[in-house]
Amino acid sequence: MSMQKQLRRSVVIAKKDVWIYYSKGPVIVFGLLFPLFLLLAFTIGRNVTIDELFPGLMGMAVFFTSTAVGPAILPWEARSRTLERLVCLPVAVWAILFGDVLASFAFGLAISIVPLIVSVAMGVEVEHLLVLGVGMVLAAFCFASLSILLSAYPPTDVPATVMMLSSMVRFPLVFISGIFVPVEGLPDWARAVSSISPLTYFTDLARYSTTGESFYSIHIDLVVLALYAALFLLVSVRLHERYLPERLS
Amino acid sequence: MTAVDGISFEVDEGEIFGFLGPNGSGKSTTVRMLTGTLKPDGGTALIMGHDIGSETMKAKEMIGVVPEVSNAYIEISAKKNLMLVGELYGLPRKERVARAENLLKDFGLWDRRDGLVRGFSKGMKQRLILCMALINDPPLLFLDEPSSGLDVESKRLIEGVIREKSEGGTTVFLTTHDIEEANQLCDRVAIINRGSMAAIDRPEALKRKTSGLNYLDVSFDGATDPRALAKFCDAKEAMKMGDKIRLWADDVDEAIYCISAFASSEGLKIVSLNTLSPSLEEIFVELTKRRE
């Protein structure tokens, strides 16, 4: 069956995910408020301007919204037996996963536009809107792929287990990705650690979009995000295919 | 651990094929391999001529699956579930809308088409699952315990659909614990036990083939000890069943002569004598017991 047909089915899977998982009031409110609250928790009492907050706010908005629901989808579907239904249909496992990624990507991107608009309304000047836009698209796709990878192992059908494990990955990433302190302000060892996180590269792009300055070249930021997206997607497809029988048993 | 080992069988087009076995016998594993959910370690399975291992998507386009546990999306409506599955089968919009409407009407779900599946009864969910399996009008239908725990109305509706589909040329692969259902519906049945095929044949042929399960119900005009009758006829077992004695015999013809001789020797008259063949359930119990 052609790749085109499978991609069309991925879009159907994404549509299903939006109906069932993303178009719920609490999920949308969580997506809007959680990054803001987390940022406020770490900045209140510090003398920082909205311009300085902007890269961190955008980083957390794109990161948390794109990874908010994705890790729970497959365990949830395994538990409700709907995953078995999908696997019996003429849809490849990679197409199911790609559909889940597309839904996380669309949710992450759509919700992240809200803090962008609010920030601009509050006086943040985005000088390089195109760079920020391309960065948001790449970052949302990269983090959406990461969200599917987070549910690959262990092949459980308990969403809470996956969400707990994914939090153990997601929160440390926020602290090492130049959200609260720009990369250039970090000691050498912390810079080395932050270079592992894909979020670092998006935060760097967001900083460039307002100040015109970035720690890495913007080309490096964009390429690294794209490479991470491809890597997360490939590894998650491999792992999910391998552990699918265990998840369904 | 080996769940299924070296089984081989063919199902003819348009046939209703019953697949029976006790819990843990390998039924579900076999069905999962045939529907492409599990990859076998070895061997092949052709679904309407397509290898489920190498032509997985083509094979899956040929099948509709009704699992034992309802797996419709409960957060969306019945109609949306059908449209979703139709779209995943690649049906054009007009076709899936028309098919969904017809199926919802045929299965008595039209009035609840826009209601969330969460509020459906077990029977309604099962009917919806059957609609979802039929949306692509598949030539092969896998049904796993389709009428388990359902009310009489839903059960009859589903059995009617199975017969109707079979008459229309659809092949039905029916996994069930309900032996009587298999006896009533299936052209052939296979009995799997501990991962191996114990028997495969038409239900009536299986009954004839299985020796030692034939029995006779005899009633005398006076009290009789079943053990005495069993001993006299060298039968393996005799049991009192109300005013009758049930006698199990390998050779029914010989047993009739023997009962007559027993009656003469005891000065009894035979009030009634019926020869009975074993039920499919008895065959099933015997075949699965033998292998334990």
Side-chain angles (χ1 to χ4, degrees), chain B residues 70-117:
Chain B
S70 166
N71 61 4
Y73 286 99
I74 59 170
E75 301 89 347
I76 55 177
S77 69
K79 194 175 174 188
K80 258 188 173 173
N81 265 288
L82 280 175
M83 298 301 282
L84 172 70
V85 174
E87 214 171 344
L88 288 171
Y89 271 113
L91 298 177
R93 185 174 166 73
K94 264 190 178 176
E95 199 176 332
R96 61 176 189 269
V97 168
R99 282 193 189 175
E101 278 187 16
N102 287 338
L103 284 165
L104 287 166
K105 282 174 185 166
D106 289 350
F107 283 82
L109 294 169
W110 181 248
D111 294 339
R112 298 289 298 272
R113 64 190 179 279
D114 293 321
L116 295 186
V117 176

Side-chain angles (χ1 to χ4, degrees), chain B residues 110-128:
Chain B
W110 181 248
D111 294 339
R112 298 289 298 272
R113 64 190 179 279
D114 293 321
L116 295 186
V117 176
R118 186 187 295 281
F120 281 20
S121 67
K122 187 175 180 183
M124 288 164 74
K125 278 182 188 163
Q126 199 65 0
R127 279 183 270 157
L128 174 62

Side-chain angles (χ1 to χ4, degrees), chain A residues 1 6 9 12-13 15-16 19-20 76-77 80-82 84-92 245 248-249, chain B residues 32 35-38 57 60-61 63 65 67 71-73 75-76 80 84-85 87-90 129 132:
Chain A
M1 188 177 291
Q6 289 295 328
R9 283 163 202 191
V12 179
I13 296 283
K15 200 163 67 177
K16 176 265 299 174
W19 288 341
I20 293 169
W76 182 258
E77 297 230 359
S80 58
R81 302 294 184 113
T82 48
E84 191 158 346
R85 148 84 45 204
L86 294 179
V87 174
C88 290
L89 296 169
V91 190
L248 291 173
S249 63
Chain B
R32 282 179 158 189
T35 54
T37 311
L38 276 184
M57 293 305 142
K60 284 182 179 180
E61 281 184 342
I63 63 173
V65 182
N71 61 4
Y73 286 99
E75 301 89 347
I76 55 177
K80 258 188 173 173
L84 172 70
V85 174
E87 214 171 344
L88 288 171
Y89 271 113
I129 289 293
M132 288 161 76

Side-chain angles (χ1 to χ4, degrees), chain A residues 226-239:
Chain A
L227 287 177
Y228 264 120
L231 180 72
F232 291 151
L233 197 57
L234 285 174
V235 175
S236 62
V237 168
R238 279 283 173 89
L239 288 175

Side-chain angles (χ1 to χ4, degrees), chain A residues 6-15 17-18 22 95-109 140-141 144-145 147-148 233:
Chain A
Q6 289 295 328
L7 285 174
R8 244 184 262 149
R9 283 163 202 191
S10 294
V11 174
V12 179
I13 296 283
K15 200 163 67 177
D17 286 348
V18 172
Y22 291 98
I96 296 173
L97 295 169
F98 190 65
D100 291 341
V101 169
L102 285 180
S104 286
F105 162 75
F107 180 75
L109 197 60
F141 190 79
S145 302
S147 78
I148 303 306
L233 197 57

